């Protein structure tokens, strides 16, 4: 029996629809669950008290659920790791896409991508046993487990993401644009700065946001090297406790459906909203700087 | 259809076979867990018909499970609260906590630190952030780096109860997620102080005396070492003979108690 062309088309279309719906529904359910499990904590503490409270003593009597130090810590590690990772990642991408010879590119690109495959626990361990004592001695600090160490390790993790995604974007810039610029007498550097970078901005900014999302949501590394002090950081050498590390460290021991448990879910909600905002910004930038074709004759 | 009936029959058969084997569930404290796992291994080796599953969900979860009757033995690193004992009675599950071992917590510092002895009050003031420099307790002129376990850890709760009392651990303390991480940090930091169960303390760090007393089986037994706590198992009063047989093994000097000593806790029966 021959299947008609139309039926075949419909079948395939529906198959894809079902697959796509499955993942969307799964995501939706996770979100609903997150909110449902987080909500009960607000019977005990106001939303303002939760977000702007300075003390986190979930097991004390009476408990205190203030996560301001963790929010500040998450923002701080994201900012500092971005300061390190963005220039490094984008410049490496430019080098790979524009300057390196095909041979060099063939060697370096897989190497950078391999870096992305390093398990975060390995990076965390490296930060804990190698970088922490080094920082402690070099800067004569109380502890090497601090904001700087966490930012370095997170940057180390987001550079490969930023680099390989922006490299693809830069590499995809139409040759006509580059040739036109060079033909007008611009140097290679001027072409990179004025033509190639702006026209790949959509892809590069997506890469940056992806890298930053990785930094803000990363759990293992901050759990191991950030120090874990629930205080608002005052310098780049302050130990700190970002949101993901609190959730990871405490969830196992928090009694099921206790206030502590609900509070940890509420932290998860806050973290989710943070990454959501990030992605909305990324979408917005990508849309705004969309490259709309090369003007060829 | 015939096939299906045969299939059902086969399932029922396996179910009855499985029932003939004794299954015991143990749940609770992660502090007791390493000792319990070894005891279970030894017991199952000696009694082939018994199948014991152990999981470490924390003292609170273990106690909740024994109150609800969903586990046979609960492990706990703290005493049951009155509320919990009442809840068990209400549900018709009268339970009996038994001390199976003693655990001593040690203040630990870097081996390079000259301080060797601290009083409980000094420890309290250090961990609450009142004493900030080692020279105030007879050490070098260095800022104290506080290391603590996470607030939800049983070890943290024991330290809170035995040392801190009403004071709270200073929020600037570096919280570490595991006993291993605590040791790692202290061994690398000359100004650090932390606390950990004696079972975990190794050569990379130095355990301090408290009030002039070294933690040991004898000083814990005569209560002269102040920072110690009992470790419990909790069993229902109406536990099955199979469960009681395993409990007897845990309490026997040649069996479970010997394993407890090997793991690094102090046995209660000799």
């Amino acid at each position: 029996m021959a299947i008609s062309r139309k039926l075949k088309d419909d079948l395939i279309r529906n198959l894809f629809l079902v697959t796509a719906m499955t993942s969307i529904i799964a995501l939706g359910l996770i979100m609903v669950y997150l909110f449902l499990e987080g909500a009960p904590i607000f019977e005990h503490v106001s939303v303002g008290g939760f977000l702007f409270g300075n003390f986190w003593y979930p097991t004390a009597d009476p408990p205190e659920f203030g996560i301001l130090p963790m929010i500040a810590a998450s923002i701080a590690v994201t900012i500092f790791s971005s300061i390190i990772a963005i220039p490094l990642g984008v410049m490496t991408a430019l080098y790979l896409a524009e300057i390196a010879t095909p041979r060099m590119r063939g060697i370096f690109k897989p190497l950078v991508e391999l870096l992305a495959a390093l398990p975060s626990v390995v990076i965390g361990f490296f930060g804990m046993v190698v970088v922490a004592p080094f920082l402690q001695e070099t800067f004569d600090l109380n502890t090497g487990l601090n904001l700087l160490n966490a930012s370095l390790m997170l940057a180390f993790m987001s550079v490969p993401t930023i680099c390989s995604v922006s490299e693809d974007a830069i590499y995809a810039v139409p040759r006509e644009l580059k040739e036109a610029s060079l033909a007008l007498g611009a140097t290679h550097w001027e072409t990179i700065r004025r033509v190639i970078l702006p026209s790949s901005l959509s892809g590069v900014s997506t890469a940056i946001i992806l890298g930053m999302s990785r930094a803000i949501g990363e759990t293992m590394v901050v759990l191991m090297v950030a120090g874990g002090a629930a205080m608002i950081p005052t310098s780049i050498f302050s130990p700190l406790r970002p949101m993901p590390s609190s959730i990871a460290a405490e969830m196992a021991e928090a009694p099921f459906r206790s206030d502590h448990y609900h509070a940890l879910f509420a932290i998860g909600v806050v973290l989710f909203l943070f990454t959501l905002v990030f992605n909305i910004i990324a979408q917005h930038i990508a849309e705004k700087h969309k490259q709309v074709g090369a003007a060829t004759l | 259809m015939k096939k299906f009936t045969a299939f059902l029959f086969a399932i029922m058969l396996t179910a009855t076979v499985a029932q003939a084997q004794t299954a015991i569930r143990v749940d609770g404290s992660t502090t007791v867990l390493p000792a319990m796992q070894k005891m279970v291994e030894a017991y199952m080796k000696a009694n082939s018909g018994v199948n014991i599953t152990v999981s470490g969900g924390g003292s609170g979860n273990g106690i909740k499970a024994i109150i609800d009757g969903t586990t046979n033995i609960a492990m706990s690193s703290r005493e049951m609260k009155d509320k919990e004992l009442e809840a068990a009675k209400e549900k018709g599950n009268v339970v009996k906590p038994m001390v199976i071992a003693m655990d001593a917590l040690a203040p630990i510092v870097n081996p390079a630190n000259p301080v060797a002895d601290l009083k409980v009050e000094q420890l309290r003031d250090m961990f609450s952030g009142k004493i900030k420099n080692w020279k105030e307790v007879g050490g070098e002129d260095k800022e104290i780096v506080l290391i603590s376990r996470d607030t939800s850890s049983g070890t943290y709760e024991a330290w809170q109860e035995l040392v801190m009392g009403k004071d709270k651990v200073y929020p600037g303390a570096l919280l570490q997620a595991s006993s291993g991480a605590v040791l790692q940090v202290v061994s690398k930091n000359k100004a650090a102080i932390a606390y950990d169960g004696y079972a975990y303390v190794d050569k990379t760090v130095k355990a301090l005396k408290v009030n002039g007393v070294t933690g040991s089986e004898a000083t814990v037994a005569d209560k002269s070492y102040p920072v110690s706590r009992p470790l419990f198992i909790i069993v229902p009063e109406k536990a099955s003979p199979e469960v009681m047989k395993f409990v007897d093994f845990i309490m026997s000097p040649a069996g479970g108690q010997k394993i407890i000593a090997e793991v690094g806790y102090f046995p209660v029966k000799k």
Side-chain angles (χ1 to χ4, degrees):
Chain A
M1 188 185 82
I3 305 171
S4 79
R5 218 186 143 106
K6 189 176 173 306
L7 187 67
K8 209 165 160 188
D9 257 9
D10 280 352
L11 264 178
I12 290 173
R13 204 179 44 234
N14 284 326
L15 183 73
F16 274 93
L17 181 73
V18 168
T19 334
M21 287 305 276
T22 313
S23 49
I24 291 172
I25 289 170
L27 272 176
L29 285 179
I30 291 175
M31 220 172 85
V32 169
Y33 186 73
L34 198 61
F35 277 88
L36 283 182
E37 292 287 340
I41 191 62
F42 297 113
E43 287 167 18
H44 301 274
V45 56
S46 66
V47 176
F50 184 71
L51 291 177
F52 302 112
N54 246 322
F55 296 102
W56 175 254
Y57 286 109
T59 52
D61 196 24
E64 286 182 77
F65 299 105
I67 65 163
L68 187 63
M70 296 178 207
I71 295 178
S74 279
I75 293 174
V77 286
T78 311
I79 290 176
F80 278 98
S81 68
S82 306
I83 289 176
I84 304 165
I86 293 173
L88 269 179
V90 175
M91 284 191 318
T92 315
L94 275 175
Y95 170 78
L96 285 178
E98 280 297 315
I99 300 162
T101 58
R103 206 179 124 84
M104 286 305 244
R105 188 179 133 91
I107 299 171
F108 278 112
K109 186 152 197 225
L111 271 182
V112 169
E113 273 158 12
L114 198 69
L115 214 60
L118 268 182
S120 54
V121 66
V122 173
I123 296 176
F125 193 66
F126 174 72
M128 197 170 175
V129 267
V130 180
V131 182
F134 171 77
L135 289 178
Q136 197 179 327
E137 266 166 42
T138 318
F139 298 103
D140 191 26
L141 302 173
N142 282 332
T143 170
L145 301 171
N146 54 28
L147 174 54
L148 180 62
N149 191 344
S151 305
L152 281 171
M153 293 304 109
L154 288 177
F156 197 50
M157 289 188 66
S158 38
V159 161
T161 313
I162 296 180
C163 177
S164 62
V165 178
S166 6
E167 201 259 2
D168 288 340
I170 294 167
Y171 203 69
V173 170
R175 247 179 73 184
E176 296 93 326
L177 288 181
K178 191 179 164 188
E179 282 168 356
S181 167
L182 292 173
L184 285 172
T187 62
H188 193 183
W189 165 238
E190 282 167 340
T191 306
I192 290 175
R193 200 162 59 100
R194 297 281 175 86
V195 177
I196 293 176
L197 204 52
S199 57
S200 60
L201 202 60
S202 154
V204 171
S205 50
T206 310
I208 290 171
I209 300 285
L210 275 177
M212 284 168 77
S213 300
R214 185 156 193 210
I216 201 171
E218 169 52 35
T219 309
M220 208 60 213
V221 166
V222 289
L223 185 63
M224 291 171 86
V225 302
M231 282 220 302
I232 293 172
T234 49
S235 83
I236 56 163
F237 298 124
S238 303
L240 76 183
R241 183 176 181 80
M243 290 183 274
S245 63
S246 301
I247 301 175
E250 295 173 25
M251 193 50 101
E253 294 275 351
F256 186 60
R257 298 251 158 98
S258 62
D259 292 346
H260 188 189
Y261 172 93
H262 292 306
L264 291 175
F265 266 94
I267 297 178
V269 171
V270 175
L271 194 57
F272 169 73
L273 294 177
F274 263 86
T275 32
L276 188 69
V277 168
F278 261 12
N279 280 298
I280 290 172
I281 295 172
Q283 282 286 331
H284 182 73
I285 295 174
E287 203 59 41
K288 203 170 148 194
H289 296 284
K290 210 171 192 174
Q291 223 274 328
V292 275
T296 41
L297 287 172
Chain B
M1 199 60 207
K2 236 182 203 166
K3 251 187 196 162
F4 184 67
T5 332
F7 179 63
L8 260 186
F9 187 69
I11 287 189
M12 275 155 68
L13 198 72
T14 21
T16 32
V17 169
Q19 252 169 12
Q21 213 186 21
T22 314
I24 301 177
R25 284 178 56 101
V26 186
D27 191 9
S29 161
T30 48
T31 309
V32 186
L33 187 68
M36 183 58 78
Q37 272 167 337
K38 289 219 162 134
M39 291 192 275
V40 165
E41 270 169 38
Y43 189 75
M44 278 174 26
K45 212 181 238 173
N47 302 271
S48 56
V50 188
N51 185 25
I52 308 179
T53 49
V54 195
S55 57
S59 300
N61 280 332
I63 291 173
K64 188 178 169 294
I66 200 85
I67 292 172
D68 295 339
T70 55
T71 192
N72 300 104
I73 299 175
M75 307 177 275
S76 174
S77 59
R78 61 167 170 86
E79 276 181 64
M80 274 181 84
K81 293 172 183 155
D82 291 343
K83 242 200 225 160
E84 291 166 335
L85 282 167
E86 255 166 54
K89 222 179 252 171
E90 263 170 41
K91 293 210 171 177
N93 296 321
V94 182
V95 292
K96 188 167 63 169
M98 303 164 84
V99 177
I100 58 162
M102 294 299 290
D103 177 27
L105 291 181
I108 52 175
V109 295
N110 190 278
N113 195 320
V115 174
D117 187 357
L118 288 171
K119 294 205 159 37
V120 172
E121 298 76 41
Q122 286 175 318
L123 285 169
R124 182 184 306 143
D125 288 347
M126 289 166 88
F127 275 90
S128 61
K130 274 182 214 132
I131 296 180
K132 287 193 178 295
N133 196 303
W134 277 106
K135 75 178 175 203
E136 291 174 63
V137 291
E140 289 169 43
D141 183 6
K142 254 191 211 145
E143 205 184 318
I144 296 169
V145 178
L146 291 175
I147 318 280
S148 169
R149 284 295 308 282
D150 276 302
T151 47
S152 53
S153 131
T155 314
Y156 173 92
E157 280 186 45
W159 187 257
Q160 176 75 41
E161 189 191 316
L162 296 165
V163 175
M164 303 307 291
K166 288 216 154 50
D167 290 345
K168 282 176 178 159
V169 171
Y170 182 58
L174 277 67
L175 299 190
Q176 297 298 317
S178 69
S179 291
V182 166
L183 291 181
Q184 173 70 33
V185 173
V186 175
S187 68
K188 296 256 184 226
N189 193 324
K190 286 178 190 148
I193 183 163
Y195 54 85
D196 223 331
Y198 255 99
Y200 287 100
V201 175
D202 62 16
K203 286 193 300 259
T204 61
V205 296
K206 183 168 84 172
L208 299 182
K209 289 182 188 177
V210 182
N211 294 352
V213 182
T214 310
S216 71
E217 202 176 332
T219 56
V220 165
D222 69 13
K223 299 204 163 59
S224 58
Y225 186 75
V227 207
S228 76
R229 58 169 167 174
L231 301 177
F232 299 89
I233 54 168
I234 300 155
V235 284
E237 206 126 82
K238 290 178 288 192
S240 68
E242 287 86 6
V243 171
M244 286 320 290
K245 221 182 124 201
F246 178 53
V247 171
D248 288 342
F249 171 77
I250 293 174
M251 303 306 287
S252 73
Q257 294 294 306
K258 206 173 125 207
I259 292 167
I260 277 167
E262 280 165 17
V263 174
Y265 298 117
F266 306 129
V268 286
K269 285 208 177 138
K270 280 241 143 174

